[in-house]
Amino acid sequence: MIGALLCAAACAGAGFYAAERTQERMKLLSEWQAALERMAGAAGQELPLPDLLRAGDAGRGGPLAQAAALLQFRPTIGPEEWINALPKEKLLRKEERQALEECLPGLWAPHPVWQKRALDRAAGQWREFLRENGRQRGRPRLYRQLGILGGAAMFILLC
């Protein structure tokens, strides 16, 4: 009986964990979209790169603020080394990481218009990622329900 309860709780926990991760991913995608749009807006103001990154971060203290701090600590760092030093977002898919890694070297462009183009292109890709993710909005609820139903089924089978 205790084993059945433990299995049921494990299934339910797995469903709730999957739902939580899915919601975190949705939030992360929205935050990156907003950051890219803020940076694209700030790119026309001819800000230095650390300030442009801080504008995208909007005081959150996230990866863009860390990237700005890295640039101030090591101003001669190149784009490739800088991108490799950035914290990796584990919730992003491969194509989303690639979109960021393709966009970020554009921030080293000598002219703000080129920076803005790189950021606008990345923001456009990000809108597609959000649209795709938006089609899956009911997934967290589904994952919770499947976890509970799976747990109930395991309990019934093991009793």
Side-chain angles (χ1 to χ4, degrees), residues 79-90:
E80 225 174 88
E81 187 181 356
W82 177 73
I83 289 171
N84 290 332
L86 293 177
K88 304 296 184 234
E89 299 280 1
K90 294 178 182 171

Side-chain angles (χ1 to χ4, degrees), residues 9-110:
C11 286
F16 278 85
Y17 177 75
E20 181 67 28
R21 295 286 287 190
T22 302
Q23 288 175 323
E24 288 174 14
R25 180 174 152 60
M26 286 182 200
K27 182 181 175 196
L28 180 64
L29 289 174
S30 296
E31 287 173 357
W32 270 108
Q33 174 68 31
L36 289 168
E37 289 175 355
R38 282 191 301 270
M39 286 193 304
Q45 299 172 12
E46 298 187 26
L47 297 173
L49 187 51
D51 292 340
L52 183 64
L53 293 168
R54 281 191 204 91
D57 186 65
R60 286 195 183 95
L64 291 174
Q66 294 171 13
L70 178 62
L71 279 174
Q72 287 200 301
F73 180 69
R74 296 182 53 202
T76 60
I77 193 170
E80 225 174 88
E81 187 181 356
W82 177 73
I83 289 171
N84 290 332
L86 293 177
K88 304 296 184 234
E89 299 280 1
K90 294 178 182 171
L91 292 175
L92 295 181
R93 293 183 179 146
K94 182 180 178 183
E95 60 269 9
E96 294 157 353
R97 275 194 293 272
Q98 283 178 330
L100 285 176
E101 289 173 1
E102 290 171 4
C103 157
L104 294 176
L107 298 177
W108 264 264

Side-chain angles (χ1 to χ4, degrees), residues 131-159:
R131 189 173 303 127
E132 176 186 314
N133 204 55
R135 291 184 206 126
Q136 303 169 0
R137 286 225 183 261
R139 290 240 171 125
R141 182 174 176 219
L142 174 67
Y143 292 155
R144 282 190 290 274
Q145 290 174 342
L146 287 174
I148 291 169
L149 290 173
M154 288 297 291
F155 181 77
I156 291 169
L157 287 173
L158 294 174
C159 282

